[in-house]
Amino acid sequence: MEYVTVKDVEVPALGFGTARMDTDEERYRAVSTALEVGYRHVDTAQMYGSESAVGDALADSDVDREDVFVTTKLDNGNRSRERVRESTRASLDRLGTEYVDLLLIHSPNDRVSHEETLNAMNDLRDDGLVRHVGVSNFSVEQTREAEDLSEAPILTNQVEYHVRHRQDDLLAYCVENDVMLTAYSPLGVGGLLDDEALADVGERHGKTPAQVALRWLLQQPMVSAIPMSSRPEHVRENFDVFDFELSADEMHRLFERRGGLVDRLADALGL
Ligand code: NAP
């Protein structure tokens, strides 16, 4: 496993996503396989309906709770002071755990101020129910605002990021400000798997397009990735990304998929 070190916290760089599965049985099987294979970072959300299955899989696994980095996210209707507290307690019940490692605002608030939500999240952190706080689907400006508002550090901004969906400005901001960028839909929801450049680079390493798509993310500073799969063979395949490295040329070639690398980001990434 590789780690992202953010604000002195070590987060497993590869996590397991749990959206997009239909049944608890499917979710339980997938998360159990992921833990067995070696994933130590699991991404869930109040919205996904996967918290109970994640909790069951964690409880039945041989892996100790403290060895797994668990993230959940506040649903849109749970952003007031009271709802943050109540809904997080309900999440903890479903997850069968006394704390989550990371609690995120799932997407920017439209009815409640970010200040109110972040203050409530900070209180949960003070009470030990939440280790770290963060945001998701925030712009650079919103991330900066959240950093100003929150007493506790904003550990991550979780956003869509993959070779066909770039986040140049946000990534540069994250590298410069010690914030982790958690890449969701790192396989483009499966849409990247027929990408010719990924396949071509993969052939040289004996790896699949999915593995190259993940490797490209993991080699970028401050980036973690949370692919999801309901199939054991894909769960395994996506974890098998720590025994090869993309060259600087290959990294550049994949950045070329969408117009090359801007100078500011090239500097930040050391490419
Ligand atoms: P993704 O991980 O990019 O892609 C998942 C899709 O790819 C599934 O259909 C899966 O099908 C397929 N797949 C996975 N590995 C494969 C492989 N090795 N070969 C072939 N196909 C493969 O998409 P995602 O679910 O959108 O993103 C991952 C996680 O990010 C989510 O589960 C969720 O935890 C998080 N997320 C967060 C937000 C947010 O707003 N914060 C939004 C979206 C997602 P099979 O099941 O058949 O393998």
Side-chain angles (χ1 to χ4, degrees), residues 17-20 43 48 73 106 136-137 158 184-190 193 210 226-231 234 237-238:
T18 64
R20 298 186 201 290
D43 182 80
Y48 302 160
K73 314 185 194 83
H106 202 142
S136 177
N137 296 301
Q158 182 181 125
Y184 77 63
S185 305
L187 305 173
V189 199
L193 304 166
I226 48 169
M228 159 276 165
S229 173
S230 56
R231 297 195 204 192
H234 291 166
E237 176 184 325
N238 296 345

Side-chain angles (χ1 to χ4, degrees), residues 119-132:
N119 281 343
M121 292 163 74
N122 274 272
D123 287 349
L124 292 177
R125 184 173 178 268
D126 293 343
D127 293 345
L129 305 187
V130 162
R131 293 258 159 99
H132 306 285

Side-chain angles (χ1 to χ4, degrees), residues 12-269:
L14 186 69
F16 188 70
T18 64
R20 298 186 201 290
M21 285 180 271
D22 295 328
T23 65
D24 271 344
E25 203 186 324
E26 200 180 7
R27 297 177 185 117
Y28 174 83
R29 208 181 41 231
V31 178
S32 299
T33 306
L35 291 171
E36 221 178 276
V37 167
Y39 292 79
R40 293 294 178 267
H41 170 174
V42 178
D43 182 80
T44 180
Q46 293 171 349
M47 187 190 279
Y48 302 160
S50 59
E51 289 176 327
S52 301
V54 169
D56 290 346
L58 280 169
D60 293 348
S61 141
D62 291 337
V63 182
D64 290 341
R65 165 67 188 92
E66 58 267 28
D67 292 336
V68 186
F69 189 92
V70 178
T71 301
T72 195
K73 314 185 194 83
L74 296 166
D75 215 344
N76 200 28
N78 295 332
R79 307 288 172 78
S80 66
R81 169 168 288 281
E82 206 179 312
R83 290 304 305 149
V84 168
R85 176 163 289 275
E86 284 170 4
S87 72
T88 304
R89 283 191 184 280
S91 287
L92 294 177
D93 278 350
R94 286 189 291 271
L95 285 163
T97 181
E98 288 175 1
Y99 68 93
V100 281
D101 297 273
L102 182 57
L103 179 67
L104 305 182
I105 300 181
H106 202 142
S107 52
N109 290 359
D110 50 11
R111 278 165 283 173
V112 176
S113 72
H114 287 139
E115 185 172 16
E116 178 173 341
T117 308
L118 287 164
N119 281 343
M121 292 163 74
N122 274 272
D123 287 349
L124 292 177
R125 184 173 178 268
D126 293 343
D127 293 345
L129 305 187
V130 162
R131 293 258 159 99
H132 306 285
V133 300
V135 297
S136 177
N137 296 301
F138 274 38
S139 65
V140 172
E141 215 29 69
Q142 288 166 328
T143 310
R144 191 177 284 125
E145 183 209 29
E147 293 208 279
D148 288 344
L149 290 172
S150 177
E151 198 183 308
I154 297 294
L155 202 76
T156 196
N157 184 5
Q158 182 181 125
V159 293
E160 180 174 358
Y161 183 39
H162 50 76
V163 290
R164 289 190 195 159
H165 190 101
R166 294 271 292 277
Q167 291 285 359
D168 291 10
D169 289 342
L170 181 65
L171 180 55
Y173 177 87
C174 286
V175 172
E176 289 160 8
N177 292 279
D178 193 19
V179 176
M180 178 167 70
L181 190 157
T182 307
Y184 77 63
S185 305
L187 305 173
V189 199
L192 293 182
L193 304 166
D194 59 356
D195 186 280
E196 268 180 37
L198 290 174
D200 192 44
V201 171
E203 224 166 85
R204 289 195 233 157
H205 293 276
K207 293 289 178 180
T208 64
Q211 291 169 325
V212 175
L214 294 172
R215 192 67 224 164
W216 178 78
L217 291 166
L218 298 179
Q219 280 183 220
Q220 298 175 41
M222 303 314 288
V223 175
S224 61
I226 48 169
M228 159 276 165
S229 173
S230 56
R231 297 195 204 192
E233 65 273 25
H234 291 166
V235 176
R236 286 195 169 78
E237 176 184 325
N238 296 345
F239 194 76
D240 186 17
V241 292
F242 299 111
D243 62 350
F244 75 114
E245 211 158 295
L246 302 179
S247 68
D249 278 354
E250 289 167 335
M251 289 295 285
H252 270 288
R253 180 169 172 204
L254 296 176
F255 272 109
E256 291 303 328
R257 304 286 300 109
R258 280 290 181 275
L261 198 51
V262 293
D263 286 349
R264 180 178 172 216
L265 189 58
D267 289 348
L269 299 182

